[in-house]
Amino acid sequence: MKIGIVGAGAIGLWLAGRLANAGSTISVLARGQTLKTLTQSGVTVITADGTRSAEVSASDRPVDFEHQDLVIFAVKGQDLPNAAEAAQAMIGPSTLLLPAMNGVPWWFLKSAKGSLAAQPLRSVDPEGKCEKALPTERVIGGVVHAACSVERPGVVRHVMGNGIIIGAAGGLEATAVTEVQNILATAGFDANHTENVRSDIWYKLWGNMTMNPISALTGASCDLILDDPDARAFASAIMDEAAAIGAAIGCPITQSPDDRHDITRQLGAFKTSMLQDAEAGRPLEIGALLEAPREIAQFAGIATPALDDLLGLMRVFSAARTRRADAQG
């Protein structure tokens, strides 16, 4: 299978390396030093079992690649609209599309019931670029349960987790999803095909829409957040609101916030991906993790005071970071 990877960060490199080592033909959109490294020495994946490198094609020009059988988007939510437009040269009439990203995707309400199905999510696709460039009938929804970090350009370290859940976003035949599942399984991923990928997306969001932003705001690992009773209660209140939203859109949550906190507690002094982004000075995924759930809640008529508070704090935090960066630049 010819597979294009858009986004050469931690997850994108991890996917590229594993898939290339399993025999897929991999083309990676990259730039800067990452592009140079991929061109000269391929992608390198470091795991507890050792280090493996694989050859991939790499370019910063999508037109350098032919149409792909599958294009995987491993970018931040706020970058997807422009990435989707830029990658059009890689996307043919039968190319499958797999966003391997956190948070709520642009297509999320397409298969919802009732009036919600007609609502575009402008929080994640403000100009409708994703909807235009990435036809939902060819989209495979994806949920990645893994933690990776970039050691240096072109080199990724796999920290934990190996699960990838995929399912049709809407209208795609099950055989196409199964084909991609088999490709992922051959590469050693714990790949599962679900009939309701929306629920899996919402469940992951329910677990990380609090720890991620709270850790970025405070600079604290998850254990410190959960050790404070008021911080833990604040996270639980947001999760209760998210569970109510999920129930309204056909994505019910059966666990309690405390159940989820107990799972997170097992990770110890864990740094979330958003905390790592904050420390590295990278933009934060506020839209897909917080703004989209709040937008859906407003469509459904559900009050979210705790979520609103966190969203406001994150907007201020992000604006302050931007102001400091502009002053220093």
Side-chain angles (χ1 to χ4, degrees):
M1 179 173 275
K2 295 181 296 185
I3 301 176
I5 306 288
V6 179
I11 296 298
L13 291 174
W14 178 57
L15 292 169
R18 293 278 294 273
L19 289 165
N21 273 314
S24 292
T25 301
I26 304 300
S27 301
V28 183
L29 271 183
R31 57 189 177 186
Q33 186 58 46
T34 299
L35 173 59
K36 184 176 180 180
T37 300
L38 294 178
T39 302
Q40 294 177 344
S41 54
V43 59
T44 300
V45 180
I46 303 171
T47 70
D49 297 325
T51 300
R52 294 191 67 183
S53 296
E55 291 186 4
V56 298
S57 297
S59 176
D60 57 0
R61 290 163 30 93
V63 294
D64 290 340
F65 304 127
E66 59 185 6
H67 288 169
Q68 304 292 297
D69 299 316
L70 170 69
V71 173
I72 300 176
F73 290 90
V75 298
K76 299 296 184 182
Q78 64 269 17
D79 298 325
L80 181 60
N82 289 336
E85 277 194 334
Q88 286 304 294
M90 303 167 66
I91 300 174
S94 60
T95 300
L96 299 176
L97 308 164
L98 171 56
M101 300 162 55
N102 282 328
V104 176
W106 79 98
W107 56 264
F108 196 70
L109 292 182
K110 290 290 186 179
S111 57
K113 295 181 180 179
S115 60
L116 286 176
Q119 300 290 352
L121 288 174
R122 294 310 183 201
S123 51
V124 290
D125 191 20
E127 299 174 26
K129 291 181 178 180
C130 294
E131 186 171 8
K132 180 180 179 180
L134 307 175
T136 304
E137 61 271 17
R138 285 193 274 136
V139 171
I140 299 174
V143 182
V144 177
H145 289 289
C148 300
S149 62
V150 175
E151 291 278 301
R152 55 188 182 276
V155 180
V156 61
R157 180 179 294 276
H158 175 241
V159 179
M160 66 176 72
N162 193 46
I164 302 179
I165 302 171
I166 60 174
L172 185 64
E173 292 185 1
T175 53
V177 182
T178 299
E179 181 184 6
V180 174
Q181 178 192 9
N182 291 337
I183 292 291
L184 292 170
T186 299
F189 297 106
D190 295 331
N192 290 289
H193 179 183
T194 177
E195 295 294 328
N196 186 5
V197 72
R198 292 174 67 248
S199 286
D200 293 284
I201 289 171
W202 194 260
Y203 176 75
K204 184 180 180 183
L205 173 74
W206 179 74
N208 67 19
M209 68 188 295
T210 55
M211 290 297 109
N212 266 282
I214 293 173
S215 67
L217 280 170
T218 61
S221 53
C222 292
D223 59 325
L224 294 178
I225 296 169
L226 294 176
D227 280 345
D228 186 276
D230 292 325
R232 180 178 175 126
F234 180 50
S236 295
I238 297 168
M239 295 171 77
D240 284 337
E241 294 172 357
I245 302 168
I249 60 174
C251 300
I253 301 293
T254 58
Q255 288 182 326
S256 71
D258 283 339
D259 291 335
R260 183 66 183 186
H261 295 329
D262 289 343
I263 294 173
T264 304
R265 165 66 68 188
Q266 295 174 15
L267 301 177
F270 177 69
K271 280 190 175 184
T272 69
S273 59
M274 189 176 281
L275 174 55
Q276 295 178 50
D277 286 342
E279 291 178 340
R282 293 188 288 262
L284 305 179
E285 291 184 285
I286 300 174
L289 290 182
L290 297 175
E291 289 179 344
R294 207 271 289 270
E295 185 177 9
I296 295 172
Q298 291 175 333
F299 290 151
I302 297 172
T304 55
L307 173 57
D308 296 349
D309 289 344
L310 181 57
L311 174 56
L313 289 170
M314 285 302 296
R315 282 198 299 252
V316 172
F317 179 61
S318 181
R321 293 173 74 238
T322 299
R323 180 178 293 178
R324 286 196 298 271
D326 290 344
Q328 294 170 357

